[in-house]
Amino acid sequence: MDVIKNVLNSEIDRINRQEGRDGKARINGEFFVNHPWLCLAMLVGYIAVGVVMYVSPYMGIGWFVGFTAFLVFMSAMLLLEIKPVYRYEDIGVLDLRVCYNGEWYFSRELSGDAVKQILSAGSVSSRIKNRIESIVRNKGSIDFYDVYDLARLENQQQDPTRTAQLAH
């Protein structure tokens, strides 16, 4: 099922390029643009807490500076955005990677061009092609996991000694 793996890999590469998925952390300022009143309310709350901390006899400037540093650090961490890189190897894997990049392969649809490539490939069995056509007809689209699972099941039926994954 190298054809299916190659098509899925090229589709994944296209999505990664198109969406700028590189796994690097960036500051995302959309929160300030989308929720200006909430940002203003948070600033007012910070000032109110700062005033209480500053005038308290058991707190002082040291606590206020520490509180401010903690608040700035946590705000920066919450504004970080990471677009994880989609990878073929993550399809169907349920481990800690799911916490980082989610189960994208269940919700991302294969493009029409990728489906056409698979359906026109001579080395893909007619059983897989029929099943893909059936899924597209019923669902209107097909996602990465559907294609991956069909190829994996076909591979297991051809070679019963292989278990969980397609050849890498």
Side-chain angles (χ1 to χ4, degrees), residues 89-140:
E89 293 78 25
D90 293 338
I91 298 176
V93 176
L94 296 176
D95 61 10
L96 289 177
R97 286 178 277 186
V98 173
C99 296
Y100 175 65
N101 61 11
E103 293 179 297
W104 61 270
Y105 41 84
F106 284 120
S107 60
R108 297 304 301 246
E109 297 173 358
L110 229 52
S111 71
D113 292 337
V115 173
K116 287 177 188 173
Q117 284 179 352
I118 293 171
L119 293 176
S120 66
S123 62
V124 177
S125 74
S126 59
R127 186 171 161 196
I128 289 179
K129 290 178 183 180
N130 292 337
R131 188 66 184 126
I132 288 174
E133 289 171 341
S134 171
I135 291 171
V136 170
R137 197 171 37 254
N138 291 327
K139 248 171 77 170

